[in-house]
Structure formats: structure tokens, C-alpha cells
Amino acid sequence: MKADLVIANAGQMVTCRSNGKAARGAAMRDVGIIEDGAVAVHGDKIVEVGRTAAIISKYQDADVIDAAGKVVCPGFVDAHTHIVFAGDRLGEFELKIGGADYLEILKNGGGILSTVARTREASRSELSEQTLRRLEKMLAAGTTTAEIKSGYGLNTETELKMLAVIEDVADRQPIGIVPTFLAAHTIPPEFKNDPDGYVDLICDEMLSAAWEWYRRSSFFGKVPFFADVFCEKGAFSLEQSRRVLIAAKEIGFAVKAHVDEFTNLGGSGEMIKMNAVSIDHLDAISDDEVAQLAGSETVAVATPAVNFNLGSSHFADARKIIDAGAALALSTDYNPGSAPCPSMTMAMAIACRYQKLLPSEAFNASTINGAFAVGLGDRIGSIETAKQADIIILDTHDYREAAYEFGGSLVTEVFKAGRSVFRK
Ligand code: NIG
Ligand code: FE
């Protein structure tokens, strides 16, 4: 067996290994630590993980990177972002400080719709440049794979422009990208008085146009293409959400959904029945739905930076979701309105404090379970033989510090597919 790179002398090699499935329930507390660990990499893949002495003596020809007692762990997988957008929402930030409500702002034509207006005006290259800046921040914070949604176009032309931007940025920087089509983000102004007309447009035209883009894109055959919907009062009803996702599944999309962010419309239960790969937000999920989730393969994606950003003290009950035996992932939900946050460790820090996750649970949620939430659990998210070598080094001797400290970054080096792509 050959290796060209060995990362050695990790005080803690945090593997987040799993048995081929997402970590769930009590197993989320086990991050699979190897003390004085090392990982051997050949090309873009991990060939072996073990104790430093054994790995070093077995792979003597490899270049050695000395982790010097630090933490080595999988790169973070951010399972939910909306980072293709133009403009900002700084005015809205001040309105919210003054007490304005997120859904009220949207109802009055602001919020998501103000970003839609700016994104429609922006050129593809402007959007790509801005998105690249956001990905740079995410990489420096240790993210090696990110899901990116469309959804600030809300017409065929601009939604396709956003998809083109997602492909542009995937080719121009190291973070692995999973695309999601979110034409069903909110009702565009043109359909204000005919929301079902917009659902018709999505089902009859937009989904197939997006799928055609995917077939010709560099993503095809490599990563899944998701369809998503914002099932919420003032956005899409349960029936409308179902229509969109059923049409999407028929075409070939994998599905996920924004459900229970503010209002329980029955979306969680319904989307679990539809075998959604993930359901996201879950602030208002019912106990029955939590039980359903625990009995399913659907991954729950928490978005704690949203509640923090909205200054709310109410969070999704992630503790209950894990204790019921479900698989929970964390995400930043990086977007201009509800979560201007590029950092997975910030999401972890909030989740530990307000959702009562242990750092171990937050780590599995941000690595292996994030990978399963974007349909890539067999390839990324853990430090295990045959997985892609997406690995980060943290400047601490104890992984728990990554969730304990906040406001900075402990990330000193990032490897994507076996290559060093960021170093502090
Ligand atoms: O996940 N809830 C809907 N979508 C985003 C927010 C997007 C925005 O406010 O621009 C979310 O919170
Ligand atoms: Fe979102």
C-alpha cells in the first residue's frame, strides 16, 4: 500500500467514523478519537488511520506533516447555505433590532424579496465574485464541503443564472459543492395574487429546466441535485410544498425541505414520508414528528445561527431530536437575512449553549451527519479508509475547544481531497 502524505502526531485524531450510516442518538457522543493518531493519504483518498508509530513505519516514503499534538478532524460539511446573492440586508438588521419581525418584513415585500430584486439585477460574474469571497471565509473556518441553494431568482432566467454561478464557484475554489434548486423559496411579486400560478410554473417549467442544467453540468454523476421548498406561512403551504417536491422527485431530484422554521404546517411529517434526505430548521416540530424522524433515514438539519441572529431565545429542540434516536446535522444557513454566518464552529458554539448539544454531538453533526444530509455520507465526513481526504488541523489539544471558544478560529490548515488548500 502506498501513501504520499501522512499527517502524524495528532494529540487527538477525531475520526467521526460511522458504520456506513449517519450517527444517531447516543452514538452521536462518540467521535472516535485516536490518541497520538496519524492518517495516511494517497492521491485524494485516505488509505489508513491509526497510531502514529504504526502509520509512520508503514508509509516511509510519504511526506510527513507534523500535527504536533494538535487536533486533526474531518473538514466540516455545511449542509445548508444560501450564499449566492447580491446586496445586503443591513437595513433589515437595524429594523429587526428595533423589533421588526422576520415574516412581517417578508410580507411587506422586504426580506428574501429584497435580495431577489438585487440578485435579478446582478450579472453572473458579479454574483460569482461575491460568492467566492464567502466561500473563502468558509474555507478559513474549516468547511470543506457546502450545499448551496438557488432561490433568490424566483423566475426561470435568474434561477438558472444562480445555478450557473454555483457551477462557476465549484470549479474555482477548493470547497466541494452540492447544488440545491430552491425556486420554491417564496412567492415572487409577479405572482403575489396567484401563488398557485407560481407553483404551476415551478412544476411545469422551472424544475425541468434546472434538471437539464444539471445534466450538462460538472456536478452530474458526481453529486446529487436537490430540490428544496420553504414550507411556511407566507411562503408555500403544505399542499404547494408537496406538489413541488413530488414533481421534483419524478424528474430525479433528491429532496430536502425548510420546515417548521416558525410555524408547524405539518411539513416535517409529510417530508419524512416522502423520504426527504434532510428536513431543516425544525423549530416548531411536534413530538409525533420527532418520533417519526427517529424511525426514518431523514437527517434533521439544525440552523441555530438563525435563532441567534434573530435575537430569539427559542431554538429547535435538538436535544429532544437526538435523545429520540434521530440523526442530527448542523449547518450555518449562511444567508444575508436570517444567518450571515460563514462559520460552522460558530454554529457549534451556539448549538452547545442553546440546544444543549455536547461538543462531541456537535462534531458528528458538523461532519459525518452533514455529509449524510447532502447525500455524500459514503464519500466524505469522516477520517476512515477509502474516504476522500478532507481533513483539518485545529490549534488545540482538545477538540471540545472548537465549540467552547467562539468568535475566532482554531483552524490552522485545511486539506481538500489530499491537497493543502489553506494554511494560517
Ligand atoms: O433558511 N427560511 C428561508 N430561507 C432562509 C432565509 C433566507 C433569507 O432570509 O434571505 C433560511 O432562514
Ligand atoms: Fe435556508
Side-chain angles (χ1 to χ4, degrees), residues 7-17 31-39 49-52 66-74 359-360 363 383 391-403 410:
I7 304 171
N9 302 315
Q12 293 180 333
M13 173 73 64
V14 178
T15 62
C16 298
R17 64 177 170 234
V31 289
I33 295 177
I34 301 170
E35 276 167 26
D36 191 16
V39 54
V49 194
R51 300 293 290 249
T52 292
D66 181 7
K70 295 175 187 167
V71 167
V72 174
C73 69
S360 52
F363 258 74
I383 301 184
I391 298 167
I392 61 179
I393 302 180
L394 303 177
D395 188 13
T396 173
H397 65 284
D398 189 324
Y399 76 95
R400 295 176 297 181
E401 195 171 357
L410 299 172

Side-chain angles (χ1 to χ4, degrees), residues 147 389 422:
E147 182 261 18
F422 170 84

Side-chain angles (χ1 to χ4, degrees), residues 64-134:
V64 177
I65 290 187
D66 181 7
K70 295 175 187 167
V71 167
V72 174
C73 69
F76 300 126
V77 180
D78 193 341
H80 182 144
T81 84
H82 309 246
I83 56 169
V84 179
F85 62 86
D88 61 55
R89 303 260 281 278
L90 294 167
E92 177 183 322
F93 178 49
E94 293 191 329
L95 285 176
K96 285 187 295 216
I97 291 170
D101 174 77
Y102 180 82
L103 287 181
E104 277 297 314
I105 295 171
L106 176 60
K107 203 167 139 197
N108 296 327
I112 295 172
L113 289 173
S114 72
T115 301
V116 169
R118 301 298 307 276
T119 304
R120 286 178 176 181
E121 286 160 10
S123 71
R124 172 169 165 181
S125 67
E126 281 163 356
L127 283 170
S128 294
E129 289 310 315
Q130 294 179 29
T131 305
L132 285 169
R133 298 291 84 75
R134 295 171 193 131

Side-chain angles (χ1 to χ4, degrees), residues 80 82 89 102 112 115 152 185 230 258 261 281 306 333 335-338:
H80 182 144
H82 309 246
R89 303 260 281 278
Y102 180 82
I112 295 172
T115 301
Y152 293 122
H185 198 184
F230 186 21
H258 289 68
E261 181 171 356
H281 285 291
V306 171
D333 197 358
N335 77 74
S338 72

Side-chain angles (χ1 to χ4, degrees), residues 338-365:
S338 72
C341 173
S343 162
M344 283 297 290
T345 54
M346 185 68 198
M348 288 163 68
I350 303 168
C352 289
R353 286 158 180 85
Y354 291 98
Q355 298 180 304
K356 308 299 172 199
L357 263 58
L358 290 166
S360 52
E361 294 170 320
F363 258 74
N364 277 317

